[in-house]
Amino acid sequence: LRVPYNRADYYIKRPTTAGSMPKRCAPGTGILYKALLAHTGGGVTQYPLLECVADMQVVYHLVPDSETPVAPTPDNQDALQGLSAAEIRKQLKRISVYILVHEGQKDITYSYPETKILVGESASLGREFVLSTLDGIGTDWKHYRWKVFYFTVTPRNLNY
């Protein structure tokens, strides 16, 4: 085997091929993909999961070795950088994922009430996303129904 491990990457990408992005999606949004690395050839297979995605943030909930808090402490995306595989298996208790999308298509009779949306648990554990910063959206950002989807998972197979 070329790579003796499983690997899945999740990312937002705007397709460059004409007609690959749905016309109902706001300018500057993309598609959330899951990419799987092949064991034999090392190639990557992409699977589109969700359209019209503006942002995605991940928050790790850790219980450090030296502490035993009742609830895991949330941390930002760099939290796992300095940890060994054994430390990650021991300390990582939950993972929260936040995805900013819009529902439906542009509606000129609708006006979204805020210019910023919190994508994450706080501005430091995620970020405040400014809708007007999407490429090519101009002032049309307010005519979309923005929503943050989130889910939390508990890793159960890290200790095996």
Side-chain angles (χ1 to χ4, degrees):
L1 293 175
R2 182 171 182 200
V3 283
Y5 52 85
N6 294 318
R7 176 175 168 173
D9 294 328
Y10 295 87
Y11 53 87
I12 302 166
K13 180 174 129 182
R14 187 164 180 83
T16 55
T17 308
S20 295
M21 192 69 188
K23 292 181 181 179
R24 67 177 173 77
C25 290
T29 61
I31 298 174
L32 176 63
Y33 287 94
K34 176 182 181 179
L36 296 177
L37 181 66
H39 287 279
T40 52
V44 175
T45 305
Q46 295 183 83
Y47 298 97
L49 300 177
L50 184 62
E51 300 168 337
C52 307
V53 180
D55 193 33
M56 178 176 74
Q57 298 292 315
V58 179
V59 177
Y60 300 105
H61 299 263
L62 303 171
V63 175
D65 286 334
S66 60
E67 302 173 24
T68 54
V70 176
T73 305
D75 213 333
N76 65 20
Q77 63 270 17
D78 297 327
L80 304 181
Q81 293 283 339
L83 300 178
S84 68
E87 290 171 323
I88 292 172
R89 282 192 296 273
K90 187 175 182 181
Q91 295 179 30
L92 184 61
K93 301 303 178 190
R94 283 194 322 249
I95 303 167
S96 297
V97 179
Y98 299 84
I99 303 170
L100 174 60
V101 300
H102 67 76
E103 297 179 318
Q105 59 190 7
K106 182 178 173 181
D107 181 357
I108 59 170
T109 64
Y110 176 79
S111 185
Y112 192 79
E114 302 292 328
T115 59
K116 297 178 185 177
I117 298 178
L118 181 62
V119 184
E121 296 181 16
S122 66
S124 62
L125 297 173
R127 73 171 168 160
E128 279 190 333
F129 190 88
V130 180
L131 294 167
S132 62
T133 61
L134 287 168
D135 287 340
I137 198 159
T139 59
D140 284 343
W141 60 267
K142 61 187 167 194
H143 297 301
Y144 291 90
R145 289 176 170 82
W146 298 99
K147 182 172 185 172
V148 176
F149 291 109
Y150 70 93
F151 58 92
T152 300
V153 295
T154 302
R156 302 221 185 264
N157 63 347
L158 292 178
N159 290 321
Y160 301 109

